[in-house]
């Protein structure tokens, strides 16, 4: 039955090509690439895509895909500055960045030219809950149904704006670096953080963002009305790496879109891995860390340990040369990570905690050693990865003995490979693969003009009614009224009882006087 529906969806897509606007000129360089397979497949199926972004995207050279570049006020390098900020300045940086970016976007010449072109589309794909809430105004201005894409599990920022509940008792805000198994104090801190964050959104962030939208699009309703009307969200999450969360029917997990369908290693690299007698360790810490700027004392420890290992090490290194490189280490500026993980000689991966790296390792059942997280969710990912038994999060101290022991633990303790093999089975045990699922729901939103029937009736209620505060208030007042009524009745009864006793006592005295007189 499921395959029949998919086949019908495929035929629909081929026969009815739609015009799709993909709109995310935001600071994240990983969000749109997380869904590039979806964009490529939609183009292959005959849809015409216009991708509005701040960065040129690779792999979208199809004739049905047109990219429009917008100026962006916050560079990716500036985003890296939040790493060392304390919690509250960290959040303030993100909020101010979003407000500045939206104001800059709406004032830019390129954006005004884009609107003046007055192109018509059938669908808006964007990520308004990823610090670009103002983008929903573009969809409403063009009167388009919206498909939301989100490159992680739902966090308090998104759930609050979507009108969803956030279960802070077992889902940690990744700003706090907790796993889903929190103790009492962690749950308390997480709950206080989520409550404070929600208040900050309602009292400061959303009103400021609303002011920017109203200034440039005065005819549109407030964000509090537009954002909860998004009925379908494609979510980069999977139960193999994230805890279960309550979700509405339109919240669709599609994790795995970043894993290439066609894998091919360069011939020379493949031969190098094939010849490794003791296997290969992959050392890749993503694009946010330039290995040439790594602290010299940390690099010295890493290379010293690699030199003592019987395994070969494939290491990302941006420079042309690496002074002191051991003989068993091969350096590459850009590693074809998925293809290396898929190779049978890959024994483990040393990672920075990027979500895509973790998911690829789970897919290919390669245990992990986490080091040097540097950005947003990476700290949380490594804590959660260790909690699930997929590997170890090494925090230091950075000595050769400590680092060597961590590598040996992951290499030789079979429980890590066993756990990640179990996770791999969970990751892919689905009725449809992620790409089929994402394509189906994209075209579903087009076919049903926004799919408003998937929205919860709770979105039509004021917040106090959705939280049942009016019912709770009524019940409390009812109980209070009953208590007061009972107290009043009790007082009346006591007064009556005292009066009755007084009458009886007087009668008793009169009888006594009469008897005494006789």
């Amino acid at each position: 039955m499921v395959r029949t529906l998919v086949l019908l969806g495929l035929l629909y897509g081929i026969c009815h090509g739609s015009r799709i606007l993909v709109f995310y000129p935001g600071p994240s360089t990983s969000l749109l690439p997380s869904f590039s397979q979806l964009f490529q497949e939609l183009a292959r199926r005959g849809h015409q895509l216009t991708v509005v972004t701040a960065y040129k995207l690779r792999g979208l050279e199809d004739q049905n895909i047109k990219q429009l570049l917008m100026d962006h006020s916050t560079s990716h390098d500036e985003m890296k500055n939040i790493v060392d900020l304390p919690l509250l300045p960290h959040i303030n940086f993100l909020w101010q960045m979003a407000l500045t970016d939206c104001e800059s976007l709406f004032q830019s010449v390129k954006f005004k030219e884009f609107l003046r072109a007055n192109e018509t589309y059938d669908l808006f794909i964007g990520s308004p809950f990823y610090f670009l809430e103002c983008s929903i105004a573009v969809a409403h201005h063009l009167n388009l149904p919206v498909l939301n894409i989100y490159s992680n599990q739902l966090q308090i920022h998104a759930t609050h704006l979507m009108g969803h509940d956030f279960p802070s008792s077992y889902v940690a805000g990744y700003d706090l670096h907790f796993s889903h198994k929190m103790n009492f104090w962690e749950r308390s801190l997480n709950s206080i953080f989520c409550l404070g964050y929600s208040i900050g959104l309602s009292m400061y962030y959303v009103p400021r963002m609303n002011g920017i939208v109203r200034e440039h699009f005065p005819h549109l309703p407030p964000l509090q009305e537009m954002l909860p009307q998004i009925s379908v969200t494609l979510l980069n999450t999977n139960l193999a790496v994230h805890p279960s969360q309550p979700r509405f029917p339109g919240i669709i997990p599609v994790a795995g879109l970043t894993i290439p369908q066609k894998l091919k290693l360069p011939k020379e690299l493949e031969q190098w891995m094939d010849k490794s007698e003791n296997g290969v360790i992959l050392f890749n810490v993503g694009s946010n860390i330039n290995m040439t700027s790594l602290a010299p004392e940390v690099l010295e420890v890493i290379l010293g340990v690699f030199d003592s290992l019987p395994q070969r090490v494939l290491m990302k290194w941006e420079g042309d040369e690496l002074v002191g490189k051991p003989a068993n280490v091969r350096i590459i500026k850009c590693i074809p990570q998925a293809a290396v993980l898929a190779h049978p000689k890959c024994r483990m991966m040393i990672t920075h905690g990027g979500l895509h790296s973790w998911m690829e390792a789970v897919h290919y059942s390669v245990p992990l050693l986490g080091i040097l997280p540097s950005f947003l969710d990476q700290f949380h990912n490594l804590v959660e990865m260790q909690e699930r038994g997929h590997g170890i999060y090494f925090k230091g101290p950075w000595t050769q003995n400590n680092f060597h022991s961590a590598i040996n633990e992951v290499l030789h303790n079979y429980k890590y490979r066993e756990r990640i093999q179990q996770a791999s089975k969970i990751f892919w045990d689905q009725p449809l693969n992620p790409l089929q699922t994402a394509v189906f729901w994209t075209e579903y939103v087009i076919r049903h003009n926004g799919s408003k029937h998937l929205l919860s009736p709770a979105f039509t209620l004021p917040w106090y009614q959705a939280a049942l505060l009016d019912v709770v208030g009524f019940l409390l007042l009812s109980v209070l009224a009953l208590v007061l009524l009972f107290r009043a009745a009790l007082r009346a009864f006591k007064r009556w009882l005292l009066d009755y006793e007084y009458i009886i006592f007087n009668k008793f005295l009169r009888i006594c006087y009469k008897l005494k007189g006789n």
Side-chain angles (χ1 to χ4, degrees):
M1 179 64 181
V2 172
R3 296 191 179 278
T4 303
L5 289 173
V6 172
L7 179 59
L8 291 174
L10 290 171
L11 291 174
Y12 177 90
I14 293 171
C15 299
H16 300 83
S18 300
R19 302 196 67 206
I20 299 173
L21 173 62
V22 180
F23 191 92
Y24 183 77
S28 173
T29 57
S30 62
L31 189 143
L32 290 182
S34 300
F35 294 88
S36 61
Q37 277 200 47
L38 170 62
F39 305 149
Q40 293 169 18
E41 181 62 17
L42 290 172
R44 190 190 67 80
R45 289 159 58 78
H47 299 291
Q48 303 286 329
L49 279 75
T50 298
V51 181
V52 179
T53 174
Y55 305 97
K56 182 75 174 178
L57 300 175
R58 294 179 296 176
L60 299 183
E61 289 78 24
D62 191 284
Q63 63 178 359
N64 286 344
I65 300 178
K66 178 176 68 173
Q67 294 194 49
L68 297 178
L69 294 183
M70 294 283 165
D71 297 325
H72 199 271
S73 61
T74 304
S75 69
H76 188 62
D77 289 335
E78 288 180 283
M79 285 282 289
K80 295 178 183 178
N81 294 331
I82 69 173
V83 174
D84 299 321
L85 292 177
L87 181 60
L88 293 181
H90 168 98
I91 294 170
N92 183 62
F93 178 93
L94 291 174
W95 286 3
Q96 297 303 325
M97 174 202 70
L99 294 167
T100 302
D101 288 348
C102 282
E103 183 64 47
S104 175
L105 172 67
F106 287 165
Q107 290 180 351
S108 70
V109 175
K110 291 182 179 180
F111 177 75
K112 293 176 181 178
E113 289 176 351
F114 164 74
L115 287 185
R116 278 198 298 268
N118 203 25
E119 297 281 351
T120 57
Y121 302 96
D122 302 299
L123 177 68
F124 178 97
I125 298 178
S127 190
F129 302 110
Y130 207 78
F131 299 103
L132 200 68
E133 289 76 15
C134 61
S135 63
I136 193 66
V138 178
H140 278 254
H141 177 73
L142 299 175
N143 196 28
L144 297 177
V146 179
L147 174 70
N148 180 41
I149 55 176
Y150 198 79
S151 62
N152 210 310
Q153 67 173 337
L154 288 176
Q155 282 290 312
I156 182 63
H157 185 94
T159 56
H160 179 85
L161 297 174
M162 296 170 81
H164 293 201
D165 293 327
F166 186 80
S168 59
S169 59
Y170 60 90
V171 178
Y174 59 55
D175 297 285
L176 299 181
H177 310 167
F178 299 152
S179 76
H180 69 282
K181 291 186 177 180
M182 294 176 279
N183 59 36
F184 172 78
W185 296 112
E186 288 172 340
R187 282 187 289 112
S188 300
L189 183 58
N190 192 51
S191 299
I192 293 170
F193 167 76
C194 292
L195 177 60
Y197 195 99
S198 297
I199 293 173
L201 284 176
S202 299
M203 302 296 291
Y204 175 76
Y205 179 76
V206 173
R208 292 283 303 276
M209 188 67 77
N210 248 331
I212 295 171
V213 172
R214 281 294 180 89
E215 180 183 350
H216 298 277
F217 298 94
H219 59 288
L220 295 180
L223 289 172
Q224 297 93 321
E225 293 182 20
M226 293 189 286
L227 290 172
Q229 293 300 313
I230 299 175
S231 59
V232 176
T233 294
L234 301 183
L235 204 60
N236 187 32
T237 185
N238 187 285
L239 293 177
V241 295
H242 290 146
S244 178
Q245 283 182 252
R247 294 192 296 259
F248 289 112
I251 307 296
I252 313 298
V254 292
L257 287 175
T258 56
I259 300 174
Q261 295 182 324
K262 296 179 180 179
L263 301 173
K264 188 175 181 180
L265 279 173
K267 191 67 177 177
E268 186 181 355
L269 178 57
E270 185 176 18
Q271 292 174 349
W272 182 80
M273 294 188 70
D274 288 338
K275 293 177 182 177
S276 60
E277 295 181 3
N278 297 292
V280 174
I281 295 174
L282 172 60
F283 179 26
N284 190 9
V285 290
S287 59
N288 288 323
I289 296 180
N290 189 320
M291 290 295 293
T292 59
S293 62
L294 198 64
E297 60 273 17
V298 174
L299 182 60
E300 182 181 355
V301 169
I302 291 173
L303 295 181
V305 171
F306 286 170
D307 191 32
S308 67
L309 295 174
Q311 290 80 20
R312 291 184 172 182
V313 179
L314 182 62
M315 175 178 173
K316 188 201 83 162
W317 183 259
E318 289 81 0
D320 295 324
E321 294 182 0
L322 174 57
V323 178
K325 181 180 76 67
N328 63 331
V329 173
R330 183 186 180 110
I331 58 173
I332 299 181
K333 291 182 179 180
C334 185
I335 295 177
Q337 181 170 285
V340 172
L341 290 170
H343 195 283
K345 288 292 185 73
C346 188
R347 296 285 307 280
M348 67 174 283
M349 178 182 179
I350 301 176
T351 178
H352 62 308
L355 180 58
H356 296 160
S357 295
W358 183 15
M359 287 181 175
E360 288 178 6
V362 167
H363 172 54
Y364 295 111
S365 302
V366 177
L368 298 158
L369 174 62
I371 64 170
L372 305 174
S374 63
F375 205 61
L376 294 178
D377 64 326
Q378 294 169 8
F379 299 87
H380 167 78
N381 291 341
L382 291 182
V383 172
E384 186 71 27
M385 175 270 292
Q386 180 170 265
E387 179 63 44
R388 290 173 179 267
H390 300 170
I392 292 177
Y393 178 13
F394 178 73
K395 302 178 183 178
W398 278 94
T399 66
Q400 290 197 20
N401 184 56
N402 290 341
F403 189 50
H404 193 280
S405 298
I407 290 177
N408 278 336
E409 172 68 12
V410 176
L411 279 174
H412 302 300
N413 192 331
Y414 188 73
K415 73 175 184 180
Y416 299 110
R417 184 168 293 275
E418 189 177 52
R419 288 279 189 89
I420 208 164
Q421 285 173 344
Q422 294 171 354
S424 182
K425 294 177 181 178
I426 295 171
F427 195 94
W428 288 109
D429 194 357
Q430 305 175 51
L432 300 174
N433 68 43
L435 184 58
Q436 291 173 327
T437 302
V439 169
F440 172 81
W441 282 100
T442 301
E443 295 179 343
Y444 185 93
V445 175
I446 297 173
R447 289 196 298 271
H448 298 283
N449 195 32
S451 307
K452 298 299 183 184
H453 56 280
L454 295 174
L455 290 173
S456 169
F459 296 144
T460 63
L461 300 176
W463 65 271
Y464 61 88
Q465 290 185 11
L468 289 178
L469 294 183
D470 54 342
V471 175
V472 171
F474 172 76
L475 293 176
L476 290 175
L477 288 174
S478 298
V479 171
L480 180 62
L482 288 173
V483 169
L484 294 175
L485 183 62
F486 178 76
R487 289 182 62 185
L490 186 62
R491 286 176 179 173
F493 176 74
K494 288 173 70 175
R495 284 196 299 269
W496 174 83
L497 188 61
L498 289 173
D499 292 342
Y500 183 74
E501 288 178 347
Y502 178 76
I503 293 171
I504 296 298
F505 183 69
N506 282 340
K507 287 184 176 180
F508 175 75
L509 288 177
R510 284 197 295 269
I511 292 172
C512 288
Y513 284 137
K514 287 181 180 180
L515 291 174
K516 188 176 179 180
N518 294 332

